[in-house]
Amino acid sequence: MKMMTQRRLYYLDNNATTRVAPEVVEAMIPFLRDHWGNPSSVYAFGRQAARDVESARERVGALINAEPRDILFTSCGTESNNAALHSALVAHPEKRHVVTTAVEHSANIKFCASLEKQGFEITLLPVEPDGGLDLHLLEKSIRPDTAIVSVMWANNETGVLFPIEEIAAICRSKAVAFHTDAVQTPGKLKIDVKDLGVDFLSLSAHKLHAPKGIGLLYVKRRTKYQPYVMGGGQEQGRRGGTENVASMVGFGRAAEMAMAGWSDENTRVRALRDRMEKAILAKIPDSVRNGDPTSRLPNTSNIAFDFVEAESILLLLDQAGICASSGSACTTGSLDPSHVLVAMGLTPARARGSIRFSLGIYNTDAEVDYLLEQLPPIIAKLRAVSPLSPQHAAAHHGKAAQHTQPA
Ligand SMILES: Cc1ncc(COP(=O)(O)O)c(C=O)c1O
């Protein structure tokens, strides 16, 4: 048998997904191996599984300061986002307008595009050059027939944060339901659904060192809810489908760990990210940070490297064992520039040369040092052969090199 040699992995793409924590794996194994009963069964073996699901619900509820019964487990963040919008529209059939932003995850953008095809009206709010929102414009865009406003808390590509509490207050004053996609926030920001004042909030376990295929939707008490996935009476009749017990237990364990360690870990991750970003911007000419440097997640840095294509950078980083990304992992393979960066007003060329580095609790100083050693020669090598680069143009046209912004 051919032996695979294992390369060292430098994983700097924690907004795409996170490593499942060993403690989470440990918590899940008994549910895959021994306690595999169906929580809906009447016998004790099934009833025990139902109790384990409820204790997982309590743990994820504690993470966001929600009552367990206000949480429904879903299969992922995408489903949670779709379900919130779907519910608001079905619960209020006379309202056919949705307000959201141009920089949401494709889980919202694509769902809204499909709603538009069905005859609903969608307002996609623009963003400022630093990725921020004009709240006055948001307020003005709410109409009597608006069923729901859906605005993400933290942008997955730039880490930029929107003022969710203020937006929730605007929506309350207009008696419109408010949903936030908080998928990128757990473990990085303190989440308190009561302080935030949201009606719906989405999370996904795989961004929090728990497995893929499990998420949650918080639905504020007394909010009308119409199921998106229909079938059995699971989740108090709000989401059909036999429960993914092991993953729910894993999500619960990860939530508990995040609560115990999130603030210390974030102080460390933020310092690591700031050191990485400062050094990249200092070492590499014509590199620019994208997005508001202050109001953003502690772990994310999005940097444009002029005159090069992000895909080429990623390939060479991959050869060095480093994982990073351009845009969202969900749009990888698309040659279009990131819709988030374009909405912020970046030129398509600059957007195409942008890379997202997203750190996590398992990253070390040594890993950042390795990136800082590998990245500058990669960019220099690509610029030397890039037709976009002034050095290249000068060499080919016999002119002096000039540093200009790409078109
Ligand atoms: C902001 C945001 N929303 C939604 C999603 C979708 O979550 P899931 O992968 O669990 O469907 C992601 C995943 O990248 C995300 O970053």
Side-chain angles (χ1 to χ4, degrees):
M1 209 171 78
K2 204 170 153 201
M3 291 289 286
M4 289 264 289
T5 44
Q6 271 227 325
R7 256 190 339 161
R8 169 101 207 252
L9 186 72
Y10 296 82
Y11 189 75
L12 308 179
D13 200 18
N14 287 272
N15 288 9
T17 195
T18 55
R19 171 185 170 192
V20 181
E23 295 88 338
V24 169
V25 175
E26 284 304 307
M28 290 175 67
I29 286 172
F31 292 88
L32 296 168
R33 197 181 45 205
D34 308 315
H35 312 304
W36 39 262
N38 186 326
S40 302
S41 301
V42 291
Y43 38 80
F45 186 52
R47 289 200 311 273
Q48 181 56 48
R51 277 196 291 277
D52 295 320
V53 166
E54 290 322 306
S55 95
R57 199 186 308 278
E58 277 168 28
R59 288 174 177 182
V60 293
L63 178 70
I64 64 173
N65 193 26
E67 306 309 319
R69 66 181 158 141
D70 297 338
I71 285 178
L72 54 128
F73 282 114
T74 63
S75 67
C76 58
T78 301
E79 183 192 324
S80 302
N81 285 1
N82 289 192
L85 267 57
H86 171 268
S87 172
L89 291 168
V90 176
H92 304 280
E94 72 291 358
K95 298 188 173 186
R96 299 187 58 83
H97 176 233
V98 175
V99 176
T100 187
T101 81
V103 296
E104 299 296 308
H105 188 270
S106 51
N108 252 27
I109 300 271
K110 294 254 174 82
F111 192 68
C112 285
S114 96
L115 289 172
E116 211 161 27
K117 283 202 187 114
Q118 296 166 55
F120 293 95
E121 269 190 83
I122 312 293
T123 298
L124 277 189
L125 295 168
V127 292
E128 316 271 353
D130 65 357
L133 265 185
D134 176 346
L135 295 192
H136 188 60
L137 191 63
L138 180 140
E139 186 163 6
K140 276 201 310 193
S141 70
I142 299 174
R143 316 189 310 212
D145 67 337
T146 304
I148 188 163
V149 174
S150 178
V151 174
M152 71 199 318
W153 191 354
N155 189 275
N156 46 300
E157 294 190 28
T158 58
V160 170
L161 304 176
F162 286 145
I164 293 309
E165 260 184 83
E166 283 176 64
I167 299 171
I170 293 172
C171 293
R172 246 189 337 273
S173 75
K174 302 255 178 186
V176 173
F178 178 52
H179 163 252
T180 189
D181 170 351
V183 163
Q184 288 294 342
T185 61
K188 303 171 194 163
L189 302 179
K190 181 169 180 282
I191 310 174
D192 183 324
V193 288
K194 292 178 185 128
D195 286 352
L196 289 172
V198 295
D199 301 300
F200 299 97
L201 178 141
S202 305
L203 291 188
S204 178
H206 75 99
K207 312 289 185 182
L208 185 68
H209 305 287
K212 294 158 194 61
I214 185 83
L216 69 78
L217 180 66
Y218 159 78
V219 183
K220 189 177 165 188
R221 191 79 47 85
R222 285 184 280 281
T223 303
K224 279 193 195 166
Y225 188 77
Q226 292 294 329
Y228 182 59
V229 177
M230 280 162 269
Q234 293 90 350
E235 301 293 299
Q236 310 161 57
R238 293 172 146 198
R239 195 229 181 229
T242 302
E243 295 88 341
N244 183 349
V245 180
S247 293
M248 290 170 180
V249 169
F251 195 3
R253 179 75 182 104
E256 198 177 57
M257 288 172 64
M259 281 186 78
W262 74 270
S263 78
D264 290 351
E265 281 305 329
N266 273 315
T267 309
R268 192 184 66 78
V269 170
R270 183 188 293 277
L272 202 56
R273 187 273 313 265
D274 289 346
R275 179 168 81 82
M276 173 191 76
E277 185 176 89
K278 207 169 148 202
I280 292 176
L281 296 175
K283 278 174 179 243
I284 303 179
D286 298 305
S287 59
V288 187
R289 175 186 44 232
N290 296 321
D292 186 337
T294 47
S295 175
R296 67 174 164 158
L297 289 173
N299 76 320
T300 309
S301 178
N302 192 306
I303 300 180
F305 299 98
D306 286 344
F307 320 120
V308 278
E309 296 274 351
E311 297 314 309
S312 316
I313 305 173
L314 292 178
L315 273 173
L316 296 187
L317 284 175
D318 186 29
Q319 282 174 15
I322 300 171
C323 307
S325 70
S326 61
S328 141
C330 311
T331 49
T332 302
S334 152
L335 291 175
D336 292 338
S338 143
H339 70 283
V340 174
L341 299 180
V342 169
M344 286 161 63
L346 269 73
T347 60
R350 183 168 272 183
R352 279 203 191 89
S354 296
I355 300 280
R356 174 186 74 187
F357 300 99
S358 48
L359 305 184
I361 57 169
Y362 294 119
N363 287 127
T364 62
D365 269 299
E367 287 175 323
V368 164
D369 290 341
Y370 179 72
L371 172 75
L372 295 175
E373 189 188 294
Q374 296 292 318
L375 187 61
I378 287 178
I379 303 290
K381 187 169 151 185
L382 291 171
R383 281 183 179 160
V385 295
S386 164
L388 303 171
S389 106
Q391 291 94 323
H392 187 271
H396 284 257
H397 297 103
K399 285 190 275 168
Q402 285 176 340
H403 275 200
T404 48
Q405 295 305 321

